[in-house]
Amino acid sequence: MLQAVELKASYGKVSVLHSISFEVKQDEVVCLVGSNGAGKTTTLKAVMGLVPSQGDVLFHGESIHSLRPAQIARRGISYVPEGRRIFPHLSVLENLEMGAYLCKDTKALKNRLDQQLALFPELTGRLHRPGGTLSGGEQQMLAIARALMASPKTLLLDEPSMGLAPMVVDRVFNVIREVSRQGISILLVEQNAAGALAVSDRGYVLEQGRVVLEDSTKNLQGNPGVQRSYLGGHL
Amino acid sequence: MFLQQVVNGITTGCIYGLVALGYTLIFGVIGLINFAHGEVYMFGAFIAFSVLALLGGPFSLAIVAVIIGTALLGCLMDGLVYRPMRMAPRVSQLITAMAVSIVLRNTAMLAWGTRTRAFPSIFPLRAMEFWGIRVTQLQLAIPVLTLLLMIGLHLLIYRTRLGKAVRATSLDLEMASALGIEPNHIIATIFALGASMGGLAGVLVSIFYGSLSFDMGVAVGLRAFVACILGGIGSIHGAMLGGLIIGLAEAMAVGYISPGYKDAIAFLILTLVLIAKPSGIFGVLVEKGG
């Protein structure tokens, strides 16, 4: 349903993505793993229309490549950025409301809110606090909840486990499984390759702006090169 | 004398505050000091003047024309000039804003002439005396109107879906756009909003002084800009407070030192703020964009 075709992107004269092609099918969790600077974040931003790129991005068979980010969001793609990017001076509730900005039906909005609070009970008591006062883990939950408020078909997740305590990291990956069960396909970018592969169906390995390997997570987990480079060699 | 100057200071302070809101709203979202904002204030006055002089009123029609006219002017300014410049370096944007200011001022000069025009007297401006202080009805009306506009703006920004989107966009434009908020719509909205408040301030001043001229926006634009810096640029409440402080300081300087120092006060305050607390009263100094 989401397909990137030979995506290329550069910051000024420095080329970051050379030619990235991948696909996320209905109900799939797909991860992009790779080291720092491999182009994972840029790939997500290019899909979301946040950085200029060449190539094509198809969603449900239609090109969304030349659309503005807000139009892409309207098509049903939600984005959880690296570093969470909660609106710090907006309350938790307002952050969630902004996630559902495109939904003007107050009843549907209330339903979605209840749904998210069921999935993220830790936010319930914090609804009227400024988003910036939450802990890192809570902010990550809020960022995911905010994205889900849009009721997306596909969720883009950029480094959701970054900078979090191990227990919270487990919680994040459990949430990803739960979201996937709701029928939302997920494109996950992670440096924590072990965790990412554990929740994904398929994975792509990125090196220096190129896809160097693509396989089912089972095969990737068994691949000696992947073990050495991304899994610490002891799996 | 002191109370009289307080009354005078509050009147002009409210005007500065209203104009300052336009600067601060726009800066809050796109990080641009719209130096042409003083000209919008002037256009507001001239739109009302034209409606009253050509059509003979009614005053309510003039006010509607000012709100719509200046809101359109704000949107046009953004759409035709600033939007294509959005990715340009900050300095280029500032210079562009100055150019827009010059173009607008000269347009007004060609349209309405260089003379100071008398504003049609629609209200009999009766002055009342309380304990030796002379207060005109308008001097009472200006703070009340300003307060109402402030409350309206506050409710809009903090209570409505649109207002929340404005705040979200000002905090993180890219993230807001990824949530489906069109930044250009939000920016056009705040240009319209800021411009119409500035335009209304221009009308109030013209009625108050009974006159208007094509260059009336320069001095007020400068003071309102200083009011923003003083209050903390990007802060709505700061802009209003900054306006009041400058209005009062000017009134005191006029009353106790010499009317000649009136123009120096804003510069003095600007200098002091930049030395002592560059982020202003409510401001958190943020570096926006490039």
Side-chain angles (χ1 to χ4, degrees):
Chain A
M1 68 195 286
L2 177 69
Q3 201 180 357
V5 186
E6 293 175 12
L7 269 187
K8 297 178 190 65
S10 49
Y11 293 115
K13 285 191 174 141
V14 186
S15 176
V16 186
L17 303 184
H18 295 289
S19 178
I20 302 259
S21 300
F22 61 83
E23 188 183 4
V24 183
K25 295 187 194 114
Q26 186 79 42
D27 296 334
E28 242 188 350
V29 181
V30 170
C31 66
L32 308 179
V33 296
S35 56
N36 235 339
K40 306 185 300 291
T41 293
T42 309
T43 303
L44 285 199
K45 285 191 160 187
V47 169
M48 203 63 217
L50 295 170
V51 294
S53 60
Q54 288 96 53
D56 205 354
V57 181
L58 305 172
F59 190 56
H60 288 290
E62 281 176 58
S63 175
I64 54 166
H65 182 250
S66 55
L67 299 182
R68 296 187 299 276
Q71 294 172 313
I72 294 174
R74 209 173 280 265
R75 296 287 178 100
I77 301 183
S78 273
Y79 173 59
V80 179
E82 185 179 1
R84 339 191 208 293
R85 290 168 72 171
I86 292 305
F87 301 116
H89 303 307
L90 264 59
S91 71
V92 169
L93 181 61
E94 287 171 335
N95 268 282
L96 292 170
E97 286 172 355
M98 286 299 102
Y101 181 76
L102 296 171
C103 169
K104 286 172 188 158
D105 177 357
T106 43
K107 210 168 168 189
L109 200 107
K110 182 82 184 65
N111 274 338
R112 291 184 193 182
L113 187 64
D114 291 342
Q115 241 178 327
Q116 295 321 314
L117 292 180
L119 187 56
F120 303 99
E122 57 265 69
L123 298 178
T124 311
R126 306 236 188 301
L127 283 177
H128 298 288
R129 299 220 336 223
T133 63
L134 299 190
S135 71
E138 289 167 339
Q139 287 195 15
Q140 187 61 60
M141 298 307 157
L142 177 55
I144 298 173
R146 179 178 64 182
L148 292 175
M149 282 294 285
S151 209
K153 298 187 187 102
T154 296
L155 184 65
L156 312 181
L157 277 166
D158 195 352
E159 303 276 8
S161 78
M162 195 168 67
L164 300 180
M167 256 177 64
V168 188
V169 171
D170 290 345
R171 172 98 173 85
V172 167
F173 285 119
N174 282 333
V175 162
I176 292 172
R177 279 196 193 94
E178 179 57 37
V179 171
S180 166
R181 271 198 289 273
Q182 296 175 5
I184 297 170
S185 48
I186 296 175
L187 178 60
L188 170 66
V189 152
E190 262 296 341
Q191 281 200 59
N192 180 350
L197 288 173
V199 297
S200 303
D201 302 304
R202 287 187 304 117
Y204 294 80
V205 178
L206 264 59
E207 270 173 24
Q208 293 172 356
R210 283 189 183 82
V211 173
V212 293
L213 201 58
E214 169 202 346
D215 215 328
S216 69
T217 43
K218 201 169 199 169
N219 289 343
L220 287 176
Q221 282 164 334
N223 181 304
V226 172
Q227 286 184 355
R228 199 166 46 252
S229 303
Y230 303 108
L231 301 176
H234 56 259
L235 261 182
Chain B
M1 161 100 149
F2 177 74
L3 283 178
Q4 180 69 59
Q5 288 314 99
V6 168
V7 170
N8 294 343
I10 288 176
T11 311
T12 45
C14 284
I15 299 297
Y16 297 158
L18 280 180
V19 180
L21 286 173
Y23 280 107
T24 221
L25 279 172
I26 291 163
F27 182 88
V29 177
I30 56 173
L32 168 78
I33 308 283
N34 179 18
F35 280 117
H37 189 57
E39 266 51 64
V40 175
Y41 156 91
M42 173 270 293
F43 262 86
F46 271 103
I47 291 171
F49 169 82
S50 301
V51 170
L52 293 173
L54 297 177
L55 306 176
F59 185 63
S60 53
L61 176 69
I63 290 298
V64 172
V66 168
I67 292 173
I68 295 175
T70 48
L72 267 177
L73 181 63
C75 288
L76 277 178
M77 216 192 283
D78 173 50
L80 293 180
V81 188
Y82 297 135
R83 191 178 297 176
M85 294 289 291
R86 205 86 84 207
M87 294 301 147
R90 182 66 53 82
V91 175
S92 314
Q93 295 192 23
L94 279 181
I95 295 169
T96 309
M98 290 175 191
V100 173
S101 161
I102 294 169
V103 168
L104 287 180
R105 208 179 314 143
N106 282 277
T107 307
M109 188 181 78
L110 292 172
W112 290 289
T114 52
R115 287 185 300 124
T116 298
R117 313 292 289 257
F119 198 84
S121 58
I122 27 173
F123 304 117
L125 284 182
R126 268 193 312 126
M128 294 167 282
E129 287 230 357
F130 302 99
W131 307 291
I133 313 162
R134 207 174 152 275
V135 185
T136 66
Q137 287 148 330
L138 199 60
Q139 266 179 318
L140 292 174
I142 286 177
V144 172
L145 281 174
T146 305
L147 191 68
L148 288 178
L149 284 171
M150 272 298 291
I151 293 171
L153 185 69
H154 180 93
L155 290 177
L156 178 72
I157 296 290
Y158 286 92
R159 293 280 181 273
T160 68
R161 174 171 170 274
L162 175 68
K164 289 168 191 172
V166 168
R167 285 192 292 143
T169 308
S170 85
L171 288 167
D172 190 337
L173 188 141
E174 192 181 79
M175 190 61 231
S177 75
L179 295 177
I181 300 169
E182 290 282 5
N184 282 336
H185 295 176
I186 298 295
I187 294 166
T189 306
I190 51 144
F191 262 94
L193 204 59
S196 53
M197 295 204 125
L200 285 176
V203 183
L204 291 176
V205 164
S206 305
I207 303 172
F208 186 57
Y209 291 119
S211 67
L212 70 172
S213 68
F214 77 98
D215 58 356
M216 66 190 274
V218 180
V220 171
L222 174 80
R223 287 167 174 79
F225 170 60
V226 176
C228 279
I229 304 283
L230 173 61
I233 192 148
S235 157
I236 295 171
H237 306 106
M240 208 58 231
L241 182 65
L244 280 175
I245 293 175
I246 290 182
L248 285 169
E250 272 186 6
M252 293 306 153
V254 169
Y256 289 96
I257 308 173
S258 148
Y261 280 103
K262 191 183 175 201
D263 290 327
I265 289 298
F267 284 108
L268 181 68
I269 291 176
L270 179 62
T271 312
L272 291 177
V273 173
L274 291 181
I275 292 170
K277 193 167 186 302
S279 58
I281 298 170
F282 290 123
V284 266
L285 201 59
V286 274
E287 187 57 42
K288 285 190 86 100

